[in-house]
Amino acid sequence: MRNILPHCLSAAALLACSTAPLAADLNLSGLAATCNNCHGVGGVSAGSSMASLAGQNRAYLEMVMLQWKTGERFSTTMGRLLAGYSEDEIKALAAYYAEKPWTPAVQELDPKLIRQGGFVLDRCSNCHGKTGGKTKTEDTPRLDGQWVRHIDLELEKYRDGTLALPNQKMADNAHKLKEKEVAAITAFFASQSGDKAETKSK
Amino acid sequence: MSTINRRKFIQTLAAAPLASVLTIPTAAWAAKNKNKAKQVVVVGGGFAGATAAKYLLMLDPSIKVTLIEPLKTYTSCPLSNEVVTHHRTIESLQIGYDGLTKRGVEVVHDTVTEIDPAKKSVKTQGGKTLSYDAAVVAPGIGLDFDAIEGYSEEVSKTIAHAYKGADQTLLLRGQLEAMPDGGVFVIAVPKAPFRCPPGPYERAAQVAYYCLHHGKPKSKVLILDSNDSFAKKALFEQSWEALYPGMIEWVAGSAGGTVERIDGEARTVATAFDEHKADVLNFIPRHDAGSLAKGAGLTNEAGWCEVVPLTMESAVHKGIYVVGDACKGGTPEFPMPKSAHMGMTQAKVAAGAIVASLNGLAPPVPYYANTCYSLAAPDYGFSVVQVYRVEDNQFVYVQEAGGVSPIEAPPIQRRLEAQYADGWFLNVMADAFT
């Protein structure tokens, strides 16, 4: 009896810890909660023009947010928002969303485009990986199962040519794509379902 | 014997609620014993109220959350101008409360008639009395139908305000549809603060778009404003000039824009200077926090609810947290705008503060941000952003952040922002109601 009770007590304490909110959790969830408005609960977007953030590469999230904050990278609203957040808060947000499970979007895609995309993605797969899940570097976004409309809009920004976008290699490749290749490639990446074999190891 | 006893004791521990044996309350236990759980009552199921209910349960599943809302279907005000102009259906703006029910919120379709801050209870029309440990009050806006001669709730059945509720949006849509080419569509804007500060000016653009593309290109939109400026003014004027040259006229309050009385039957409005005849008259009455908040003593002399910035708790009554459009805000002196986005971030701050308070913790750091898109045409959007911090118990607008979309912008920016407005809408609906 004597050695059971302390054991149970600690188990109960653990249970309490895992279910009752902690002050630190409330601060972090409160910080991230403002992002959920546009990017979905836990960063799983419900609106196809907005990126899902859950499970995205941490280094990528951190890099683009800092670039938006300083204005080095063009944004519509993100720069104006992030100018109000500290570097530490931005880093905490990147880590918070990167920790969440990657959740491919459920979306309707044209099978013909997906098939065509599989043939012409060499220009993209070097950096983003063959399915868009296993990126060459951590500061490259994964694309497998991202919303197709969001990827389309990102490519449109690069192909526009008038916007400040710091990744020259990406800009060059985006410009080299033929019009009909764009829709095929984005459909292909969007159709991928976060295959584990291709998913980067943590 | 000792072995049996030991096993028996372990079985007892496993079968009985662990915490009751050890007298340490755990959330998991409390979730199964909601009678003893802390009770939070949420009054009002709009964007702010629904968000508060959902986030309370997400942060602490042991709380019993009851949401009281008269309507079974919510209709979003954001993007409703696109319904007036047929670009979007009213159904695309509607959602029910099943998502919240599935999350464990008890949704009661009833009308709250009284909030008693002393007894910590609310009464409903249906005869229910619910007591609470904390209450979230999110009643939205009340419309002051009687502030101007000639307008009343009765008159609003023919002279639409289209600022609250699906019926009103559809009434205005029908009137625009029936308007002849060359008709005058008058929008009368009340003195600020009002919900959706750019709403009337977006509506002007949307109406012009509709007229241009539906065989009414000679029509005009006349905005009679009780104010001398408005949200995103330069961006709106730029868009009106670019997209609808000569179709939209704005009259500032000091230049004779303030409507003093209306005649619903003749569809005329009178200002201090002129009388205007409208083919469609869209009269938006003055707003306040509404009679429920007033009755509970939550409002200031201007009719709005003041809150403690750290927590969104009422500055008047402890234990009541006011979120959304009923809160003070939306004036040049106190800019926190009355928008869905703002109300949702307020609700999330309130949820965090309530959960902290019920668990004996200090309130978390509050984060307030607003993003508000306006659509001058289906493919032409722009936005305003605000970020607020709390310093010395005051809301502080973060000067380095925020602001409106640039006037000098590459054409792609307006197109992108229209796309993001749609993504924003789908996400706020999901974030609040599912």
Side-chain angles (χ1 to χ4, degrees), chain B residues 280-341:
Chain B
V280 176
L281 175 53
N282 172 209
F283 179 80
I284 305 166
R286 213 177 59 86
H287 300 13
D288 60 27
S291 54
L292 183 65
K294 275 187 211 161
L298 292 165
T299 50
N300 63 17
E301 66 277 8
W304 300 102
C305 303
E306 299 202 23
V307 294
V308 177
L310 190 62
T311 58
M312 295 304 294
E313 191 171 23
S314 162
V316 184
H317 292 303
K318 287 241 172 253
I320 296 180
Y321 297 72
V322 188
V323 294
D325 292 348
C327 292
K328 179 186 172 185
T331 60
E333 302 77 37
F334 196 83
M336 191 171 277
K338 300 183 188 305
S339 74
H341 197 106

Side-chain angles (χ1 to χ4, degrees), chain B residues 332-411:
Chain B
E333 302 77 37
F334 196 83
M336 191 171 277
K338 300 183 188 305
S339 74
H341 197 106
M342 194 77 250
M344 287 174 68
T345 64
Q346 291 170 346
K348 291 169 185 181
V349 170
I354 290 168
V355 167
S357 159
L358 296 180
N359 284 279
L361 301 168
V365 178
Y367 288 98
Y368 295 102
N370 183 49
T371 306
C372 155
Y373 292 98
S374 295
L375 293 169
D379 216 20
Y380 191 114
F382 42 80
S383 59
V384 65
V385 167
Q386 287 106 350
V387 181
Y388 299 93
R389 296 272 169 164
V390 177
E391 284 170 22
D392 300 328
N393 203 31
Q394 299 289 321
F395 288 113
V396 176
Y397 177 80
V398 179
Q399 297 289 343
E400 302 79 47
V404 294
S405 307
I407 279 283
E408 300 295 333

Side-chain angles (χ1 to χ4, degrees), chain A:
Chain A
M1 284 289 288
R2 277 195 196 119
N3 46 11
I4 288 174
L5 203 55
H7 183 68
C8 291
L9 269 175
S10 66
L14 266 177
L15 185 60
C17 286
S18 64
T19 50
L22 292 173
D25 290 349
L26 287 177
N27 279 333
L28 183 58
S29 66
L31 172 63
T34 56
C35 313
N36 291 354
N37 277 30
C38 298
H39 291 283
V41 179
V44 179
S45 174
S48 61
S49 60
M50 298 290 195
S52 271
L53 309 178
Q56 185 55 276
N57 293 333
R58 188 191 56 75
Y60 168 73
L61 290 174
E62 191 177 305
M63 178 191 73
V64 289
M65 283 196 278
L66 290 172
Q67 288 173 340
W68 284 325
K69 177 180 162 72
T70 59
E72 186 187 350
R73 176 182 288 261
F74 166 84
S75 69
T76 51
T77 55
M78 287 306 296
R80 283 179 273 154
L81 279 162
L82 288 168
Y85 293 80
S86 71
E87 265 193 56
D88 283 346
E89 286 168 331
I90 287 172
K91 285 177 180 173
L93 283 171
Y96 174 87
Y97 285 110
E99 285 291 309
K100 302 274 177 198
W102 180 252
T103 311
V106 178
Q107 54 192 325
E108 271 182 44
L109 297 160
D110 180 350
K112 194 176 152 197
L113 281 178
I114 297 170
R115 193 169 166 274
Q116 289 171 344
F119 290 113
V120 293
L121 53 83
D122 284 359
R123 207 177 288 290
C124 314
S125 60
N126 268 350
C127 296
H128 291 279
K130 285 199 175 77
T131 65
K134 192 179 180 186
T135 58
K136 194 172 175 183
T137 58
E138 276 281 305
D139 59 6
T140 304
R142 59 183 298 185
L143 304 174
D144 50 333
Q146 183 61 275
W147 285 108
V148 70
R149 188 160 157 222
H150 172 73
I151 312 176
D152 279 336
L153 291 171
E154 287 303 297
L155 261 177
E156 196 180 322
K157 287 180 202 168
Y158 276 105
R159 289 165 64 81
D160 182 77
T162 66
L163 309 177
L165 295 165
N167 189 333
Q168 194 53 49
K169 192 173 168 193
M170 178 65 206
D172 291 346
N173 277 300
H175 281 293
K176 284 175 193 161
L177 289 174
K178 297 187 187 88
E179 195 66 51
K180 62 180 180 185
E181 289 176 341
V182 172
I185 285 170
T186 58
F188 174 83
F189 281 129
S191 73
Q192 302 302 300
S193 56
D195 177 14
K196 273 193 179 153
E198 271 293 314
T199 303
K200 73 198 164 75
S201 54
K202 278 243 167 196

